[in-house]
Amino acid sequence: MNLPFFVAKKYFLSKKKRSFINFISIISMLGIALGLMSLIIILSVFNGLEDLNRQIFKAFDPDLKITSTVKKGFYPNSDLIQKIKTTPGVDFVTEVYKDKALARSKDAQMIVVLKGVDSTFTKNTEMKKSLIEGSMVLKNGGRPMAYIGGGVYSILDLSVEDYLRPLVILYPKNQKINVLNPEDNINQTTVEVSGVFNLEQQYDNYVYLPLETVEELIESPGKRTSLEITLKKNANVDLVKSELKKFLGKDMQIKDRDEQNESLLKAIKIEKFFIFIALFFIIGIASFNIFYALSMLVIDKKDDIETLSSIGASKSLIRNIFLAEGFVISLVGISVGLVLGLGVCLIQMKYGIVSLGMQYATVDAYPVKLLISDILYSVVGIFLITLLASLVPATKALKFMLNQKI
């Protein structure tokens, strides 16, 4: 065994070590262990939340989305749509018009996000997984049907396929306001509810209708707010995106799923970064205990340092003994923290002990995802902090060996 580590281990396990020094060493190890455990758990939860949001986005947002950079709506021609459909990797294209409207049922009403989609919408298998009642259809025997979010369903007290309790959608006409007859300012349509979906609260106020029905409401046939592209299973998103950019005009933009939700994903990453920094700051403060423990150990072991010096111990040996002592304390703390942190995460991943406490959440328990990179950064960072905390006491031991004032 390496001599500095052998001596450091003897000091660490020595029963003669003063109880106060021993107490501070234990506090140091616990501080490192709890800090590392907290880092692993919190970073894993943030990773899990990021994955959960991507799972929700996968059900609601397309692989690629084409929109106008100039106006809210645009009029895509058939040649453009055909080029998109024939691009390698593209499965199907959904034409979409999206806007806000007023929904009403008997005495209840609310503002909803109206989304008109063509017949390809029913091919969205991920969206079908969020169905909680009824069926995911937009037409029944030629009659338009509405596929609605859980919030609309509950607030307006609707029933699936109930013609006695239909959903009324109202949308302002594109004309000058008629003050004398307000009803002339509004277009409206009445539809039955075909099904109800539940993803997240932000999507609870969505109402899907056939595109033809929405065109009649807005009085703008052919107008679209986006073209939503679903790719084939093994298609390369970046490759298809670059191909589509070649024939899109300057006033058109295309975004992948992460870019469509850039602000939310960026917010998660920023929160994760700042929590990482905050916990490291706390661990840095806790590592001062190592500094104090080793400093007092140097004072306590003056006689040992003098004896080792007299029998020919080198400067580096004396310094490395106390550096190794700090390393042992750090290693024990990191080992305990790793076991506790990984154990808690694995238990949560398998059994989901900590629940989200939400009745209709996509998952029942807090999502957790372990990343090796997070664990490595945390371990290396903590090790460097404790190494710096051990360096000053080791230098003090060297000064004593050289008969300088401690």
Side-chain angles (χ1 to χ4, degrees), residues 1 6 40 47 59 115 135 140 159 169 184 215 222 267 288 322 339 350 359-360:
M1 181 183 287
F6 177 78
I40 292 172
N47 295 332
K115 194 168 182 179
S135 56
N140 184 9
S159 296
I169 303 293
D184 285 346
E215 284 180 327
F288 275 107
F322 291 94
V339 171
K350 186 170 183 179
Q359 186 177 1
Y360 296 110

Side-chain angles (χ1 to χ4, degrees), residues 39 42-43 46 266-282:
L39 270 174
I42 292 174
L43 295 180
F46 270 100
K266 188 179 289 185
I268 292 174
K269 283 181 168 57
I270 291 172
E271 287 180 9
K272 178 181 173 181
F273 174 75
F274 278 106
I275 286 180
F276 182 82
I277 295 298
L279 285 174
F280 247 100
F281 182 73
I282 293 170

Side-chain angles (χ1 to χ4, degrees), residues 59 120-137 147 196-199:
T120 59
F121 170 71
T122 55
K123 294 181 181 180
N124 190 336
T125 55
E126 293 294 330
M127 192 67 169
K128 287 180 181 177
K129 295 176 183 178
S130 62
L131 179 70
I132 58 173
E133 190 172 344
S135 56
M136 186 176 154
V137 295
Y147 185 60
V196 184
F197 69 91
N198 187 77
L199 273 172

Side-chain angles (χ1 to χ4, degrees), residues 102-116:
L102 179 68
R104 181 187 296 166
S105 178
K106 293 188 176 181
D107 297 328
Q109 63 182 27
M110 66 180 293
I111 300 295
V112 298
V113 178
L114 182 65
K115 194 168 182 179

Side-chain angles (χ1 to χ4, degrees), residues 13 15 19 41 63 66 146 183 232 249 295 317-318:
L13 299 175
K15 294 180 180 179
S19 59
I41 294 172
D63 296 313
I66 297 174
E183 291 185 1
K232 293 178 181 178
S295 295
L317 176 63
I318 299 296

